[in-house]
Amino acid sequence: MTLRLDISIGPVQGFVAQSRRTRDLWGSSFLLSFLSAHAMHGAQGAGARIIRPVVENDPLYRWVADSRDGDAPRIGSVPNHFVVESEGDPSGVAAASVLALETAWQRVCDAVWKRFVEHALTAGAGTRDIWSRQVTGFWEVMWTAGDP
């Protein structure tokens, strides 16, 4: 039986609204798009077919889903809401999507930690705990399944 899953990643408004400068707005929008591309790819890897948006020629999605040759695209072109169809268990597809998003998020967090935070550990109190609290469980993924 074919089921359609609507998958949405948030919080969008709260996350983007915290941007204070144009570069922050670009960065937060790009990051959300990047994570959405990973979530889509995770769903696709679990056997789902992406219905909406059409991403087969999207540069960011192709970079995430393919070999990552060359520089990453600089434009966040993947929305935070997408629709897939699956013949399999919808909870398995959703779980694969969430796992892909969380794995990509953890890679981003690790890179930021190493580049900007790790060297300042001695200057703070409880820096590692604060960091973990701020980045763990940040993203909310909501999904529904139903007939196509």
Side-chain angles (χ1 to χ4, degrees):
M1 169 185 218
T2 301
L3 289 175
R4 183 168 283 187
L5 282 80
D6 284 89
I7 302 173
S8 184
I9 301 164
V12 175
Q13 297 303 321
F15 183 65
V16 174
Q18 292 179 29
S19 301
R20 296 207 163 109
R21 297 185 176 132
T22 303
R23 70 179 175 199
D24 298 337
L25 181 59
W26 174 87
S28 59
S29 296
F30 183 84
L31 179 59
L32 185 57
S33 186
F34 175 79
L35 295 173
S36 292
H38 278 279
M40 278 185 202
H41 186 58
Q44 189 175 43
R49 185 170 56 93
I50 300 169
I51 302 299
R52 205 174 39 247
V54 176
V55 290
E56 63 191 30
N57 293 318
D58 182 88
L60 179 58
Y61 182 78
R62 287 179 50 206
W63 189 84
V64 164
D66 293 334
S67 64
R68 298 186 185 193
D69 290 335
D71 293 334
R74 297 180 56 119
I75 302 297
S77 51
V78 178
N80 70 307
H81 176 254
F82 57 98
V83 179
V84 299
E85 283 185 351
S86 175
E87 299 295 325
D89 173 32
S91 61
V93 171
S97 182
V98 170
L99 179 61
L101 179 145
E102 288 175 347
T103 301
W105 174 241
Q106 190 59 54
R107 281 197 329 264
V108 169
C109 291
D110 290 346
V112 170
W113 174 267
K114 285 183 175 92
R115 170 96 174 161
F116 298 105
V117 183
E118 189 173 51
H119 69 280
L121 275 176
T122 58
T127 303
R128 172 65 83 175
D129 291 337
I130 294 168
W131 174 264
S132 294
R133 191 171 54 248
Q134 289 177 338
V135 301
T136 303
F138 182 82
W139 299 103
E140 300 170 357
V141 179
M142 287 84 40
W143 64 276
T144 60
D147 294 330

